[in-house]
């Protein structure tokens, strides 16, 4: 076993006597409010004891570092393999104490309090040297080194912020978390002296923070000079309160495998920084979906990291990789980065092709599938289908949308068979895009409905039951159903020959701004007892778009006839043919809608 040297030390001594850097394979800053609350609560308990002339020790766990020499000097740097969240947060807190001390220094100058001025200046310089930057003699010349350097894109922001500047964190989640940590910890420090007027008392209270960090807070630092062993330790250790994510582990392992190939390693690091910029839960989903498209089967939740590692980077099993292996690893990482970008588009319902060949209605269909229906289980299929031509991709989206509504949304059938099918078909499309056959895919969907249901009778019964309007509920499925009827209405009127086709692309729905309309009004001015009992059934429901006259929404049927006649929606135009609206007509329209549904959602 490589030599390791664990030693117990205070936080103040651990940071103040060393230079730390976070290696490139480490994740970015991850602590959020819950972890910051716990952190400062522990500090505050120690401060409270100090104010009572007592002492309370607190152990902050272990950190793992790799010792590295600084060229031209006997000094050393320590790579933080595990523990960067704690070390960074201590540095942030002490830098914010410097900011508070600077404000108190101006107050002391105004009061011409020379004793406090001297104390504050000494404390500020000491804290900056221990937690921000320090000088190191190299070849008889003093050079400035950061006490802590973060990895990747966070470091410039961190270095500016810890020196009291106010950089823009932008949209990057880790920078925003860093920015929040600085602001939060300054606020908590100021709260300690909120009710104190005396400058001297404020200084006494705040000086307790220095004593607590210098003496009362401790860690065990596990030091090794063996980088490979440090990588292995990184795989199994966690920071307090934050589990290492699958993405974090894959990033670390990728960069470890590429050790010795700096060109590919640096390029892979940049790609992983982009891959991991989303919420951890989103990234986990993305990697799982991409694995499914790579392998044709879904990764197991309990072993997602191992499954992804084997699928993406089989080179990890080699004792030493070659230059061509390093190129292959970089190429796969680039492919993952591209697929992650498509995942981001798919979960937001964005069309993945830049051409303008697809109509707006076709583009909106993707949003209906993944956003309005909430079908993200099909994304492995979409990842694969994205490699096919745009027209075939559109056909895949169309048939998947119709299938999912029948099988899952209305049929409530078990998800596992379709998750497996989407993985298999996504893999087939990804591996052989030129030979992918939408008809064969549709046949597999048909077989699944034949085997699992729902058959036509069950589907019809479920439509009647599920498409009841709920005055204070979620009626998205009703809106989706009526939109689908509108899309295929001309095809149905023309005889419903062959596969369902959208024959009129002129009507484009804006889903959020399209309203469900009660034909017999939901709040009728004069109630008709027979219609009151059926007013929330699908036969009494239609759609009004932004272009329709919604002022008539609670008017009588006779008053709405002109609105229906002038509507851009075909399903409304025929309503104007009726002079009166009765319970029988509600029931007849329900049967018509069910018949249309059996044609549209037929496999």
């Amino acid at each position: 076993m490589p030599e390791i040297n664990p030693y117990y030390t205070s936080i103040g001594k651990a940071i103040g006597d060393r230079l730390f850097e976070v290696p490139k394979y480490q994740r970015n800053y991850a602590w959020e409010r819950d972890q910051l609350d716990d952190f400062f609560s522990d500090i505050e308990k120690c401060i409270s004891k100090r104010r009572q002339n007592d002492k309370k020790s607190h152990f902050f766990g272990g950190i793992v570092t790799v010792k590295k020499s600084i060229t031209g000097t006997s000094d050393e740097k320590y790579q933080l393999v595990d523990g960067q969240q704690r070390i960074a947060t201590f540095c942030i807190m002490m830098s914010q104490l410097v900011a508070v001390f600077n404000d108190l220094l101006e107050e002391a100058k105004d009061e011409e309090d020379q004793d406090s001025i001297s104390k504050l200046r000494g404390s500020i310089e000491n804290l900056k040297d221990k937690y921000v930057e320090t000088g190191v003699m190299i070849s008889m010349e003093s050079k400035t080194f950061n006490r802590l350097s973060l990895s990747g894109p966070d470091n410039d922001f961190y270095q500016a912020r810890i020196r009291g500047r106010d950089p823009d964190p932008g949209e990057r989640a880790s920078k925003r978390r860093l920015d929040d940590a600085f602001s939060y910890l300054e606020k908590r420090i100021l709260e300690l002296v909120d009710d104190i007027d005396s400058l001297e008392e404020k200084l006494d209270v705040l000086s307790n923070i220095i004593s607590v960090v210098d003496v009362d807070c401790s860690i065990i630092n596990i030091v090794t000079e063996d980088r490979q062993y440090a990588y292995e330790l990184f795989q199994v250790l966690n920071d307090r309160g934050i589990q290492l994510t699958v993405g974090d582990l894959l990033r670390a392992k990728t960069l470890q495998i590429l050790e010795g190939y700096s060109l590919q390693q640096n390029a892979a690091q940049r790609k992983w920084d982009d891959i991991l910029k989303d919420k951890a839960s989103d990234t986990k989903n993305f990697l799982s979906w991409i694995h499914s498209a790579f392998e044709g089967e879904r990764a197991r939740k309990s072993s997602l990291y191992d499954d992804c590692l084997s699928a993406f980077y089989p080179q990890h099993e080699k004792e030493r990789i070659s230059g061509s292996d390093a190129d292959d690893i970089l190429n796969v990482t680039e492919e993952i980065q591209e697929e992650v970008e498509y995942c981001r588009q798919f979960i937001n319902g964005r069309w993945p092709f830049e051409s303008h060949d697809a109509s707006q209605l076709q583009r909106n269909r993707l949003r209906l599938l993944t956003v309005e229906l909430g079908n993200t289980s099909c994304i492995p299929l979409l990842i694969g289908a994205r490699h096919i031509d745009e027209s075939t991709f559109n056909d895949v989206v169309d048939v998947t949308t119709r299938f999912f509504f029948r099988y899952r949304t209305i049929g409530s059938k078990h998800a596992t068979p379709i998750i497996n099918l989407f993985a298999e078909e996504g893999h087939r499309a990804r591996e052989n895009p030129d030979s992918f056959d939408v008809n064969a895919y549709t046949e597999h969907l048909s077989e699944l409905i034949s085997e699992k249901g729902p058959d036509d009778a069950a589907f019809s019964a479920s439509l009647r039951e599920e498409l009841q309007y709920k005055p204070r509920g979620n009626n998205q499925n009703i809106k989706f159903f009526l939109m689908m009827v509108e899309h295929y209405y001309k095809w149905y009127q023309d005889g419903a020959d062959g596969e369902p086709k959208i024959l009129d692309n002129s009507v484009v729905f804006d889903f959020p701004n399209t309203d469900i309309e009660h034909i017999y009004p939901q709040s009728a001015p004069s109630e008709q007892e027979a219609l009151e009992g059926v007013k929330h059934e699908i036969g009494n429901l239609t759609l009004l778009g932004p272009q329709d006259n919604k002022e008539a929404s609670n008017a009588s049927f006779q008053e709405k006839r002109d609105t229906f006649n002038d509507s851009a929606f075909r399903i409304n135009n025929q309503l104007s043919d009726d002079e009166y609206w009765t319970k029988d007509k509600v029931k007849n329209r329900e049967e018509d809608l069910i018949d249309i549904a059996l044609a549209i959602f037929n496999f």
Side-chain angles (χ1 to χ4, degrees):
M1 177 177 289
E3 181 182 357
I4 59 172
N5 299 296
Y7 65 93
Y8 186 90
T9 184
S10 71
I11 292 290
K13 188 169 180 60
I15 300 175
D17 288 352
R18 286 168 179 76
L19 303 173
F20 290 104
E21 63 179 15
V22 178
K24 64 182 70 175
Y25 60 81
Q26 261 278 24
R27 59 180 164 174
N28 301 124
Y29 191 77
W31 274 16
E32 298 185 353
R33 282 298 176 90
D34 286 346
Q35 290 74 41
L36 292 171
D37 277 336
D38 289 343
F39 171 85
F40 200 82
S41 176
D42 293 333
I43 298 292
E44 206 166 26
K45 290 172 184 174
C46 296
I47 292 172
S48 178
K49 283 292 186 182
R50 284 272 173 179
R51 294 184 71 177
Q52 298 168 22
N53 296 316
D54 200 351
K55 179 181 170 184
K56 174 180 172 59
S57 297
H58 188 83
F59 177 58
F60 277 86
I63 67 172
V64 179
T65 59
V66 180
K67 186 164 62 173
K68 297 172 59 180
S69 296
I70 300 176
T71 305
T73 178
S74 60
D75 287 306
E76 292 147 343
K77 279 187 178 181
Y78 291 81
Q79 281 196 336
L80 264 171
V81 176
D82 183 73
Q84 70 137 323
Q85 310 296 331
R86 281 159 287 172
I87 297 300
T89 305
F90 271 110
C91 289
I92 290 169
M93 181 178 71
M94 300 311 275
S95 77
Q96 295 309 85
L97 183 58
V98 169
V100 173
F101 277 175
N102 275 320
D103 290 340
L104 294 181
L105 180 59
E106 294 306 311
E107 188 178 330
K109 289 177 181 178
D110 291 341
E111 296 179 7
E112 298 182 355
D113 183 344
Q114 296 302 322
D115 186 46
S116 294
I117 290 172
S118 177
K119 287 181 181 179
L120 283 163
R121 281 177 173 164
S123 294
I124 289 168
E125 291 306 311
N126 183 53
L127 289 172
K128 284 183 177 179
D129 182 74
K130 291 180 71 172
Y131 297 100
V132 180
E133 62 185 21
T134 191
V136 174
M137 294 300 296
I138 299 179
S139 302
M140 305 299 291
E141 181 182 352
S142 179
K143 292 192 176 181
T144 300
F145 280 77
N146 299 322
R147 280 294 180 192
L148 171 66
S149 297
L150 299 188
S151 65
D154 285 352
N155 192 48
D156 287 346
F157 177 83
Y158 170 80
Q159 299 302 341
R161 195 74 165 82
I162 205 168
R163 287 166 172 80
R165 297 194 289 275
D166 191 23
D168 182 4
E171 295 301 316
R172 188 170 189 84
S174 54
K175 289 184 180 180
R176 295 173 80 89
R177 287 192 289 267
L178 278 168
D179 194 52
D180 184 60
F182 277 97
S183 301
Y184 172 83
L185 291 170
E186 181 179 32
K187 174 177 174 288
R188 293 298 300 268
I189 290 169
L190 288 171
E191 287 173 353
L192 296 174
V193 293
D194 266 351
D195 57 349
I196 300 174
D197 294 327
S198 164
L199 176 60
E200 183 178 1
E201 287 184 49
K202 287 181 181 179
L203 187 52
D204 286 343
V205 170
L206 295 178
S207 293
N208 283 325
I209 298 177
I210 300 174
S211 299
V212 165
V213 176
D214 277 350
V215 180
D216 302 343
C217 297
S218 58
I219 56 170
I220 288 180
N221 186 2
I222 303 170
V223 181
T224 179
E225 295 184 25
D226 188 306
R227 185 175 297 177
Q228 176 61 37
Y229 186 61
Y231 279 119
E232 292 172 6
L233 284 173
F234 172 76
Q235 300 288 333
V236 298
L237 291 175
N238 296 319
D239 286 317
R240 171 181 175 171
I242 295 284
Q243 295 294 317
L244 293 172
T245 68
V246 170
D248 294 328
L249 293 170
L250 284 171
R251 179 184 187 273
K253 189 64 177 179
T254 306
L255 300 182
Q256 175 212 338
I257 300 169
L258 290 171
E259 194 68 46
Y261 295 92
S262 58
L263 184 66
Q264 293 92 332
Q265 188 187 54
N266 290 334
Q269 177 195 344
R270 291 191 293 272
K271 296 184 185 306
W272 271 110
D273 285 342
D274 179 71
I275 292 168
L276 298 180
K277 71 183 182 182
D278 306 286
K279 292 188 301 184
S281 58
D282 285 342
T283 301
K284 182 179 180 181
N285 287 334
F286 297 163
L287 292 171
S288 178
W289 295 330
I290 294 167
H291 170 275
S292 295
F294 265 65
E295 294 296 287
E297 59 183 20
R298 61 174 175 169
R300 297 160 295 175
K301 288 183 179 180
S302 60
S303 58
L304 180 58
Y305 166 69
D306 291 328
D307 290 348
C308 285
L309 183 61
S310 296
F312 302 155
Y313 305 114
Q315 300 89 350
H316 79 279
E317 296 182 350
K318 294 184 177 182
E319 186 173 338
R320 184 182 298 275
I321 67 167
S322 65
S324 62
D325 287 330
D327 290 337
D328 290 342
I329 290 168
L330 178 59
N331 290 337
V332 169
T333 305
E334 182 175 7
E335 194 170 353
I336 294 169
Q337 181 189 22
E338 291 174 356
E339 304 291 26
V340 162
E341 181 55 40
Y342 284 113
C343 287
R344 291 170 183 146
Q345 294 182 35
F346 293 145
I347 63 170
N348 290 295
R350 295 201 303 271
W351 196 251
F353 295 91
E354 295 182 359
S355 71
H356 299 286
D357 295 340
S359 68
Q360 189 59 49
L361 187 148
Q362 291 170 327
R363 291 168 178 266
N364 284 3
R365 178 61 55 84
L366 179 61
R367 180 176 178 83
L368 286 178
L369 174 62
T370 62
V371 178
E372 312 306 349
L373 282 184
N375 178 16
T376 56
S377 62
C378 71
I379 290 182
L381 169 68
L382 300 180
I383 290 171
R386 194 265 312 169
H387 292 270
I388 313 172
D389 63 88
E390 186 172 11
S391 175
T392 306
F393 179 87
N394 175 65
D395 291 341
V396 168
V397 171
D398 177 75
V399 71
T400 305
T401 304
R402 292 187 292 111
F403 167 80
F404 189 82
F405 181 77
R406 175 165 180 155
Y407 183 88
R408 279 289 287 164
T409 307
I410 299 301
S412 299
K413 297 301 177 181
H414 200 277
T416 299
I418 60 170
I419 291 173
N420 292 335
L421 179 61
F422 290 150
E424 292 166 6
E425 296 292 336
H427 177 69
R428 186 175 293 114
R430 183 179 177 278
E431 293 296 307
N432 299 291
D434 294 337
S435 62
F436 183 82
D437 186 354
V438 177
N439 291 328
Y441 166 55
T442 306
E443 182 62 30
H444 293 149
L445 298 179
S446 176
E447 291 169 359
L448 195 53
I449 288 178
S450 296
E451 179 184 348
K452 304 288 185 181
D455 61 17
D456 286 354
F459 181 52
S460 300
S462 293
L463 283 172
R464 291 184 173 88
E465 181 179 349
E466 294 294 326
L467 301 184
Q468 294 270 345
Y469 184 86
K470 303 173 184 64
R472 285 175 294 278
N474 185 339
N475 296 290
Q476 298 285 82
N477 291 340
I478 295 174
K479 189 188 294 190
F480 172 85
F481 172 75
L482 291 171
M483 283 186 175
M484 292 292 283
V485 170
E486 174 63 29
H487 286 164
Y488 294 98
Y489 198 65
K490 187 175 189 315
W491 167 80
Y492 181 79
Q493 286 184 316
D494 289 351
D497 292 330
E499 288 294 308
K501 295 181 180 64
I502 300 174
L503 300 180
D504 182 3
N505 290 323
S506 62
V507 177
V508 179
F509 284 100
D510 178 3
F511 195 92
N513 294 316
T514 298
D515 293 334
I516 298 171
E517 173 70 7
H518 287 70
I519 301 170
Y520 165 76
Q522 184 175 188
S523 301
S526 56
E527 293 186 358
Q528 301 175 42
E529 186 174 342
L531 282 167
E532 279 292 313
V534 297
K535 68 180 180 182
H536 291 319
E537 294 181 2
I538 189 62
N540 190 54
L541 304 175
T542 190
L543 299 174
L544 286 182
Q547 71 278 12
D548 291 318
N549 177 17
K550 295 182 181 178
E551 293 180 0
S553 61
N554 205 41
S556 68
F557 173 73
Q558 284 74 21
E559 294 172 297
K560 293 181 184 181
R561 287 178 67 199
D562 287 343
T563 298
F564 292 144
N565 185 63
D566 297 337
S567 173
F569 301 157
R570 292 174 184 270
I571 59 173
N572 288 342
N573 299 151
Q574 65 167 1
L575 293 171
S576 63
D577 295 340
D578 292 309
E579 188 172 352
Y580 300 102
W581 194 244
T582 65
K583 179 180 179 180
D584 286 342
K585 289 184 176 179
V586 171
K587 291 297 183 181
N588 289 338
R589 185 167 181 271
E590 179 179 292
E591 293 307 314
D592 289 343
L593 290 174
I594 296 297
D595 287 343
I596 296 172
L598 290 174
I600 295 172
F601 302 102
N602 174 48
F603 292 86

